[in-house]
């Protein structure tokens, strides 16, 4: 194994780049803008330029680089083919081959960003003591990643770990972004928690301090109020926790992980959130699969870079 | 690879033994009684004796045997440790080491019977065109097995694929054998279908020919009547199909298989059953994971032997 590798997390707005030691230390990180114009034709060349500049700055030879891992916001097959990255403007091509050609033949591994973040947490974050984890990212949407024996489970067409779109409610009337109704994401993402809060405020006359925030209430406000003992906010958190805990019990009987790692903006609510979901998970889950640890993610926005590096040097 | 291997499926009543070519052909099969008395202390020696006798009968040398695969009715860890096989009277021990010692140092691989049957179907049965399948066995209970890249997904403590105990109904008042309420098995096993049929007969005054069977109605009766157009029986099948199809959509967003293989006694209802579950699966599933093929299992009671052999020679 050589001494260094790059771990790159490509988002729709910025590309996060990390220079890692292959032992797992993040040595330097920086960002560049994601130029999505003209079907994102500059994205890979911008990344190559940024890496070349970093090698020059640090006086590191390319011979000392083990490879480049890259996380992308869309489904990727096992052979490195991007099926469609709508946020980047990309169509279908083999991103591993393309980036390798552009960066002097270096080894490249590509993965879906949510899966790659899960691998990052499994390598150096909240899941580093475990081989088999499921990560659940509660952000604007809900993402997921399944890590088995320390490797990403991709699934047949890159859809493994798409647990934000698990169907959890037959009676939901609002549509999810995916077009279906009743997806986990509609109840447990930051947006979903706000939706539950507004629904409670609009459809009941319960007294709750959430009303002081009105239409601008955020998921953080809901959790802050719940921690202070506000009954309405606690009802929202309990509903959210019931959906998520039950979904975790579904996941557990399929892949039986050692640990669930909970990340994303909503996870800043901390142990209070973990407590809200853990009990429901244990309560609904088949006993043999119900004892997985439930931890917070620890790498924050760096998880994608860590996971990208892990695809190369873990 | 040597020319032959044994595939053995140990049940609570009989042990099914198969002699296979390592190319995947079942050359001979036979059964012996499972002697569970005295904590099942004779089971492994009975199996060794049966294999020795078969080698003598066929004039095959042990040097020509690649190994022995064995499926067992309980959770097995990746290293071959049986955690508890209550139906056999066994406690916790490493069955691979034990059987190898008893059978002249031969290579032994052990697995959970439901997982092993899934591997059998993936190797030579309904899933033989696919690398990633989930098998669902609808028998007295509901078992499952997840095959990824042609290998059994065991899970942290052998619980992967325990989908019969996925929690699918919050309002169920009857208890499952596992102690929880609302497990998939309670609605989709042979017993579960009968339970749904009796519930319809007892709680409604719907006209249905199911009433002619009364308390002795079987899952086969329900499916036969449904095929004839009986409205009550079709309502039962639809309810069953809704639970199973929705559970399949849960499974699909976790592991994204290429195909689901449906086996067990209830699957004798054939394509009629597949149609009843497939639509609901496609309807509730996230589009990217909703296009898995849904096929009937083809190996019947031999699936366990095939899968046991596959652990050795696939």
């Amino acid at each position: 194994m050589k001494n260094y590798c790059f771990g790159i997390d490509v988002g729709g707005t910025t590309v996060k780049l990390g220079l890692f030691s292959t032992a797992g230390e993040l040595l330097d990180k920086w960002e560049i803008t994601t130029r999505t114009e003209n079907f994102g034709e500059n994205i890979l060349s911008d990344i190559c330029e940024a890496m070349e500049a970093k090698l020059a700055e640090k006086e590191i030879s390319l011979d000392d680089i083990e490879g480049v891992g890259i996380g992308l916001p869309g489904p990727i097959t096992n052979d490195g083919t991007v099926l469609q990255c709508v946020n980047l403007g990309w169509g279908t091509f083999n991103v591993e081959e393309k980036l390798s050609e552009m960066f002097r033949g270096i080894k490249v591994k590509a993965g879906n960003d949510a899966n790659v973040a899960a691998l990052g947490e499994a390598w150096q974050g909240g899941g580093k003591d475990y081989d088999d984890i499921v990560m659940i990212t509660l952000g604007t949407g809900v993402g997921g990643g399944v890590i088995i024996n320390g490797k990403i489970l991709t699934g047949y067409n890159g859809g493994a770990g798409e647990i934000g779109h698990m169907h959890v409610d037959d009676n939901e009337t609002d549509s999810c972004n995916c077009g279906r109704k009743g997806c986990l994401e509609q109840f447990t993402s930051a947006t979903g928690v706000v939706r539950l809060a507004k629904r409670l405020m609009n459809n009941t006359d319960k007294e709750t301090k959430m009303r002081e925030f009105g239409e601008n209430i955020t998921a953080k406000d809901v959790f802050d109020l719940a921690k202070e003992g506000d009954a309405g906010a606690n009802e929202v958190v309990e509903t959210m926790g019931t959906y998520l805990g039950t979904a975790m019990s579904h996941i557990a009987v399929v892949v039986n992980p050692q640990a669930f790692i909970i990340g994303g903006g909503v996870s800043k609510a901390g142990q209070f959130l973990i407590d809200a979901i853990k009990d429901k998970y244990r309560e609904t889950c088949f006993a043999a699969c119900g004892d997985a640890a439930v931890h917070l993610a620890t790498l924050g926005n760096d998880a994608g870079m860590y996971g990208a590096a892990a695809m190369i040097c873990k």
Side-chain angles (χ1 to χ4, degrees), chain A residues 75-78 112 115 146 151-161:
Chain A
I76 321 281
T77 61
N78 277 324
N112 166 267
N115 291 343
V146 180
K151 305 266 179 215
I152 292 170
L153 177 66
T154 309
Y156 170 52
N157 48 14

Side-chain angles (χ1 to χ4, degrees), chain A residues 194 197-198 201 210-222:
Chain A
V194 166
K198 288 182 180 169
M201 290 191 280
M210 293 194 297
R211 296 195 192 279
E212 293 169 18
F213 294 87
E215 284 299 298
N216 297 319
I217 194 163
T218 65
K220 181 178 185 305
D221 298 330
V222 174

Side-chain angles (χ1 to χ4, degrees), chain A residues 68 201 243 265:
Chain A
V68 177
M201 290 191 280
Y243 280 111

